[in-house]
Amino acid sequence: MLRDITLGQYYQTDSVIHKLDPRVKLVATIAFIISLFVVDSWIGYAVAAVFLAIMIKLSKVPFRFMVKGMKAIVMILMITVVFNLFLTPGEPLVTFWKLTITKEGARIAVMMAVRLSFLIVGSSLMTLTTTPNSLTDGMEKLMGPLKYVKVPVHEVAMMMSIALRFIPILLEETDKIMKAQIARGADFESGNLIKKAKAMVPLLVPLFISAFRRANDLAMAMEARCYRGGEHRTKMKPLQYHAADRVAYLVLFLYFSGCVAMRVWL
Amino acid sequence: MGIIKTDKLTFEYIRRDEEGNVEGITRAVDEVDLDVKQGDFIAILGHNGSGKSTLAKHINAILYPTEGTVWVDGMDTQDEARLWDIRREAGMVFQNPDNQIIGQVVEEDVGFGPENMGVPTKEIWERVEESLKAVGMYEYRKHSPNKLSGGQKQRVSIAGVIAMHPKCIILDEPTAMLDPNGRREVIRAVRALNDVEGITVVLITHYMEEIVHADMVYVMDRGQIAMEGTPREIFSRVEELQELRLDVPQVTLLAHELKKKGVNLPDGILTIEELVSALVGLKGA
């Protein structure tokens, strides 16, 4: 059933990481990504790996879920590695035919591969442990100061959460329209790419019309319930930092300053 | 003056062509006078296109009258300064349950109205709890609305309106997209609101059996109020109702036909029990 799909890739379980404030996790993810580009020594990567491993352990999310995220970037990863491996000038290590692998090339290629895969695993750790909803909340709160430079932070967050709510509904609708068209002889399966794309038109037009109608209805329902943007609005579930969040910030600070220190002194 | 009052309310939809020239004018609501007392259960009946939904949208200040005036609790709906007070006092439930639920969790959706009104966090939780209990959906508070049945979704929508503590609720065909079970659930919840909480209810529908318990029924046709009276008075005018293309409940129809054939029955029989006791009474006489 389409309505049973889980959005994003949230993994439901009860762990320290799951309970952290979404803001902490957002900041931590960004800090971790920056730290990957700050460190440039093998010890540095070892520290990052240990840090990441501890976080994965704490999150109680099975490791194979993290690897799933890697599949999407396998191509990019390979291209990066190949280009760095063969095209970096320096002291030749191995030469066969016209290709030369240099010492520097090998070093950079491995580093890039490690960086990219840590980056993906690190950010999927965040999406695996945070519901899309609280992620939106966290972003809204973190970007709060941007309001003063006229960025519609609340509105963007509201749009994101409404989009999330309507994805399963629209998927179900797509399914319904598709079945209705198939029943009348439409063919979505056979033919080449262009033919398949053309077959999508009778699916997309009714879908768009219905999405607009829904949007219109929803806007009216929101207005009827006194929605008038972010001002004067209170929160049912306001974000509040707890002791665990402070500890998390401290750990993060130690890790990050460690990375910077290694860059400077090692 | 009652909680909702309209005076010669008229609304016209103006159709325009691509250059913006007026192509035609449709009078959706035509000089309607309503006066609803606090605590009443009002039903507005009519077939598709009779103007009943357009009328409903005026009470919540979503549409403004072309001519005439609408007052909600003494406030003119054209008074922009009172707009949010009006929307808070007159809550509205729409037809399609999917298109009016904003939250991704039931309790968050019910809290949406109070959040918009700036109610303090602690009170929001109290209001959410009490309104979910009022419609019997409290045990579903952590569920995703996508996994509820139509009737349940509609009850969540009603809870979302009650959480704003309105004086009246306008329900615009809340049961039109539901199965018979869902319809019963919703109507039961609405009646409980009216009986227990004393909230004024304006129920817009085209199902005759839903208006049996109303204090007052208005039948609309082509934008005008064609009939008004208690359910009993309305149901005793079977021929007129059929002319307005409304389906009279089977019991009422049966009683009406029997009466025409000379059986001595009272006018406007609404339920099976009533007809049974009337027939039994005849036998004894």
Side-chain angles (χ1 to χ4, degrees), chain A residues 54-178:
Chain A
I54 294 173
M55 291 306 140
I56 292 172
K57 192 80 202 148
L58 281 177
S59 75
K60 294 188 191 160
V61 179
F63 187 67
R64 62 194 158 88
F65 281 90
M66 318 266 164
V67 184
K68 254 192 205 166
M70 298 279 288
K71 276 186 200 149
I73 60 142
V74 154
M75 269 321 271
I76 302 175
L77 200 64
M78 283 197 342
I79 292 169
T80 320
V81 169
V82 168
F83 272 82
N84 277 307
L85 203 56
F86 294 115
L87 298 177
T88 316
E91 192 184 321
L93 206 63
V94 198
T95 310
F96 52 178
W97 191 45
K98 277 181 186 169
L99 298 170
T100 320
I101 297 175
T102 62
K103 209 174 155 190
E104 286 78 5
R107 186 182 136 87
I108 290 175
V110 175
M111 263 192 183
M112 280 316 260
V114 172
R115 241 177 219 173
L116 275 175
S117 27
F118 278 16
L119 199 144
I120 294 300
V121 173
S123 40
S124 50
L125 183 64
M126 176 181 74
T127 50
L128 281 163
T129 57
T130 323
T131 58
N133 225 4
S134 56
L135 211 56
T136 324
D137 268 0
M139 275 186 210
E140 183 182 354
K141 196 81 190 230
L142 272 181
M143 310 246 199
L146 288 180
K147 262 188 294 206
Y148 300 108
V149 287
K150 301 251 163 20
V151 178
V153 179
H154 165 79
E155 282 72 12
V156 171
M158 180 57 87
M159 282 195 279
M160 276 171 67
S161 69
I162 289 175
L164 285 170
R165 146 121 177 84
F166 273 86
I167 287 171
I169 294 177
L170 289 177
L171 276 176
E172 207 176 310
E173 186 132 312
T174 316
D175 196 42
K176 226 187 268 171
I177 298 171
M178 217 166 180

Side-chain angles (χ1 to χ4, degrees), chain B residues 9-29:
Chain B
L9 168 63
T10 302
F11 184 81
E12 287 166 345
Y13 283 108
I14 301 173
R15 283 193 313 273
R16 288 176 193 277
D17 62 12
E18 275 159 27
E19 277 99 47
N21 303 315
V22 177
E23 265 188 336
I25 294 173
T26 316
R27 235 171 209 225
V29 178

Side-chain angles (χ1 to χ4, degrees), chain B residues 137 140 147-157 185-186:
Chain B
M137 288 295 291
Y140 293 96
K147 297 197 176 170
L148 300 179
S149 74
Q152 289 173 327
K153 280 184 213 171
Q154 213 53 312
R155 282 192 282 158
V156 170
S157 307
E185 272 172 40
V186 170

Side-chain angles (χ1 to χ4, degrees), chain A:
Chain A
M1 273 301 278
L2 273 168
R3 66 165 69 186
D4 286 331
I5 56 154
T6 45
L7 283 173
Q9 36 172 358
Y10 182 64
Y11 182 85
Q12 175 78 49
T13 179
D14 195 30
S15 81
V16 196
I17 306 281
H18 281 75
K19 280 196 203 117
L20 285 180
D21 191 291
R23 284 171 292 177
V24 179
K25 285 184 265 189
L26 273 166
V27 171
T29 310
I30 295 165
F32 181 71
I33 291 172
I34 296 173
S35 81
L36 289 177
F37 290 91
V38 167
V39 294
D40 59 350
S41 59
W42 295 115
I43 307 171
Y45 283 117
V47 172
V50 170
F51 179 75
L52 192 59
I54 294 173
M55 291 306 140
I56 292 172
K57 192 80 202 148
L58 281 177
S59 75
K60 294 188 191 160
V61 179
F63 187 67
R64 62 194 158 88
F65 281 90
M66 318 266 164
V67 184
K68 254 192 205 166
M70 298 279 288
K71 276 186 200 149
I73 60 142
V74 154
M75 269 321 271
I76 302 175
L77 200 64
M78 283 197 342
I79 292 169
T80 320
V81 169
V82 168
F83 272 82
N84 277 307
L85 203 56
F86 294 115
L87 298 177
T88 316
E91 192 184 321
L93 206 63
V94 198
T95 310
F96 52 178
W97 191 45
K98 277 181 186 169
L99 298 170
T100 320
I101 297 175
T102 62
K103 209 174 155 190
E104 286 78 5
R107 186 182 136 87
I108 290 175
V110 175
M111 263 192 183
M112 280 316 260
V114 172
R115 241 177 219 173
L116 275 175
S117 27
F118 278 16
L119 199 144
I120 294 300
V121 173
S123 40
S124 50
L125 183 64
M126 176 181 74
T127 50
L128 281 163
T129 57
T130 323
T131 58
N133 225 4
S134 56
L135 211 56
T136 324
D137 268 0
M139 275 186 210
E140 183 182 354
K141 196 81 190 230
L142 272 181
M143 310 246 199
L146 288 180
K147 262 188 294 206
Y148 300 108
V149 287
K150 301 251 163 20
V151 178
V153 179
H154 165 79
E155 282 72 12
V156 171
M158 180 57 87
M159 282 195 279
M160 276 171 67
S161 69
I162 289 175
L164 285 170
R165 146 121 177 84
F166 273 86
I167 287 171
I169 294 177
L170 289 177
L171 276 176
E172 207 176 310
E173 186 132 312
T174 316
D175 196 42
K176 226 187 268 171
I177 298 171
M178 217 166 180
K179 278 185 186 141
Q181 308 282 35
I182 289 172
R184 288 181 234 160
D187 182 6
F188 295 108
E189 305 293 323
S190 60
N192 57 21
L193 209 61
I194 295 168
K195 218 174 168 190
K196 269 187 190 165
K198 271 188 183 159
M200 294 301 272
V201 175
L203 181 66
L204 288 177
V205 172
L207 189 65
F208 265 86
I209 291 172
S210 112
F212 280 122
R213 190 171 300 137
R214 279 180 195 282
N216 195 21
D217 280 5
L218 188 74
M220 194 157 63
M222 286 171 77
E223 278 204 325
R225 284 165 79 182
C226 292
Y227 180 73
R228 53 188 137 163
E231 272 172 69
H232 313 293
R233 212 162 176 272
T234 44
K235 282 263 175 198
M236 185 179 178
K237 297 175 176 169
L239 291 177
Q240 259 166 352
Y241 285 127
H242 298 284
D245 300 312
R246 288 187 201 104
V247 174
Y249 269 134
L250 186 70
V251 171
L252 187 68
F253 176 74
L254 288 177
Y255 164 76
F256 195 74
S257 37
C259 288
V260 175
M262 275 188 290
R263 170 75 181 238
V264 177
W265 287 299
L266 287 181

